[in-house]
């Protein structure tokens, strides 16, 4: 299979490496300076330092050329750039896999929704789950889920990437898989605030538990299946993102809780939870779904609310039955 991976960041590079190990003809597309660095060193020094990469794949800086012979495409570009890429997939008729976790603010569409809108001839598949890119690239055991309304397409992507150390599952709940992957990043920022304020394990466990409930509530209001949020793209991804020292979203929360300016933190790394907090709050408002944790994260990130006050406001809400 000829597979083109769009985006030579950590996740795109890791998945390109996995697809290549599976015997596929892989083309990696991205900015010329990034590809030149990869080609010169046979590693991705910025995102995956020390991990050997293939020598016999294709590094292609021209998007049209990269897409011209592709039978499948994996989109691993940041959510802010996603629609810019999908608008150039209008004629593509193969499987298009989104591995980006985000929600478009203006429409509430997931990344798979953008593929549907901009590339009507393509078959969208969403890939999500607890997956730190460096661990996947190093062959550390990982499990992911690929979701599509077209079960054959999901099975095809499963076959592309299934390896001895990468276990692939399939699902037909595309919306649930995508929302689980996107919303957990907002919860990870809140978990990082817990770490930065040294609130302890009890508080963090409670936050993650209630955060999962909130993700499920908003997801089902949008039309997803509730059980999906107990799976790999829900509880699984939430857990790793909230606890891992490698999580950029958790780290964002920790750093702002310690008093670093938000602008400084955002300048040093891409954290998808930042734009997703804004989009998730807007989606919840449209669906009239209560999302107290998302609301407080949004207030900290976009309204300048003090982190201590945000925590206090969460804790002092009126008591209620667990649900």
């Amino acid at each position: 299979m000829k597979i083109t991976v769009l985006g030579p960041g950590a996740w795109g590079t890791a998945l390109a490496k996995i697809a290549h190990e599976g015997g596929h003809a892989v083309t990696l597309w991205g900015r010329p300076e990034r590809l030149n660095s990869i080609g010169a060193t046979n590693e991705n020094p910025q995102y995956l330092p020390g991990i050997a990469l293939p020598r016999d794949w294709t590094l292609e800086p021209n998007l049209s050329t990269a897409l011209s012979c592709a039978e499948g495409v994996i989109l691993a570009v940041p959510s802010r750039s996603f629609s810019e890429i999908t608008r150039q997939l209008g004629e593509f008729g193969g499987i298009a896999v989104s591995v980006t976790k985000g929600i478009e603010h203006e429409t509430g569409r997931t990344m798979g929704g953008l593929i549907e809108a901009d590339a009507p001839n393509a078959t969208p598949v969403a890939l999500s789950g607890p997956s730190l890119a460096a661990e996947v690239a190093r062959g550390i055991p990982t499990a992911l889920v690929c979701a599509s309304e077209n079960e054959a397409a999901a099975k095809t992507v499963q076959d592309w990437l299934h390896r001895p150390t990468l276990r692939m599952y399939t699902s037909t709940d595309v919306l649930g898989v995508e929302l689980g992957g996107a919303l957990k990043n907002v919860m990870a920022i809140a978990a990082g605030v817990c770490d930065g304020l040294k609130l302890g394990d009890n508080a963090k466990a409670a936050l993650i538990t209630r955060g999962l409930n909130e993700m499920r509530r908003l997801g089902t209001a949008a039309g997803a299946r509730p059980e999906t949020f107990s799976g790999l793209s829900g509880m699984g991804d939430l857990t790793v993102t909230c606890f891992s020292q490698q999580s950029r979203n958790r780290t964002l929360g920790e750093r702002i809780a310690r008093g670093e300016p938000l602008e400084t933190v955002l300048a040093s790394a891409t954290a998808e939870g930042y734009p997703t907090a804004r989009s998730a709050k807007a989606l919840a408002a449209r669906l009239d779904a209560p999302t107290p944790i998302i609301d407080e994260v949004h207030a900290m990130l976009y309204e300048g609310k003090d982190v201590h006050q945000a925590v206090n406001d969460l804790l002092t809400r009126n008591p209620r039955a667990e649900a």
Side-chain angles (χ1 to χ4, degrees), residues 4 33-34 39 80 124 139 143 179 205 218 300 307:
T4 291
E33 62 272 18
R34 183 77 53 75
R80 65 177 181 272
L179 287 178
L218 179 53
M300 287 186 286
V307 292

Side-chain angles (χ1 to χ4, degrees), residues 102-274:
I103 304 169
E104 188 178 59
H105 175 69
E106 293 77 12
T107 64
R109 287 173 176 157
T110 60
M111 302 300 100
L114 290 175
I115 293 173
E116 287 185 347
D118 295 335
N121 297 320
T123 302
V125 176
L127 180 69
S128 190
S131 48
L132 300 167
E135 293 191 5
V136 172
R138 289 191 176 98
I140 295 173
T142 302
L144 299 175
V145 57
C146 48
S148 178
E149 294 178 0
N150 183 322
E151 294 186 55
K155 180 65 170 61
T156 296
V157 176
Q158 182 182 47
D159 292 341
W160 288 358
L161 301 174
H162 193 86
R163 308 289 300 142
T165 58
L166 182 59
R167 185 165 181 81
M168 298 289 297
Y169 292 84
T170 63
S171 170
T172 56
D173 185 13
V174 183
L175 185 60
V177 166
E178 288 205 276
L179 287 178
L183 296 174
K184 58 86 185 176
N185 284 329
V186 184
M187 301 306 168
I189 294 174
V193 170
C194 283
D195 292 340
L197 296 179
K198 300 186 183 302
L199 297 182
D201 294 338
N202 291 348
K204 191 170 180 180
L207 172 81
I208 292 170
T209 303
R210 297 307 302 168
L212 180 60
N213 186 71
E214 192 167 305
M215 290 164 54
R216 183 185 296 112
R217 183 190 306 125
L218 179 53
T220 54
R225 296 200 293 264
E227 62 269 20
T228 300
F229 296 89
S230 298
L232 289 166
S233 71
M235 183 175 67
D237 210 356
L238 177 67
T239 302
V240 75
T241 311
C242 287
F243 282 103
S244 175
Q245 295 297 307
Q246 300 178 56
S247 166
R248 286 172 289 186
N249 292 285
R250 190 208 61 79
T251 300
L252 185 155
E254 182 177 17
R255 290 175 66 182
I256 64 172
R258 291 177 174 172
E260 290 189 53
L262 177 61
E263 295 76 12
T264 301
V265 180
L266 292 174
S268 62
T270 298
E272 289 289 2
Y274 176 70

Side-chain angles (χ1 to χ4, degrees), residues 4 6 27-29 60 62-70:
T4 291
L6 305 178
T27 296
L28 183 61
W29 170 85
E60 177 53 63
N62 183 281
L63 181 59
S64 296
T65 302
L67 293 172
S68 61
C69 296

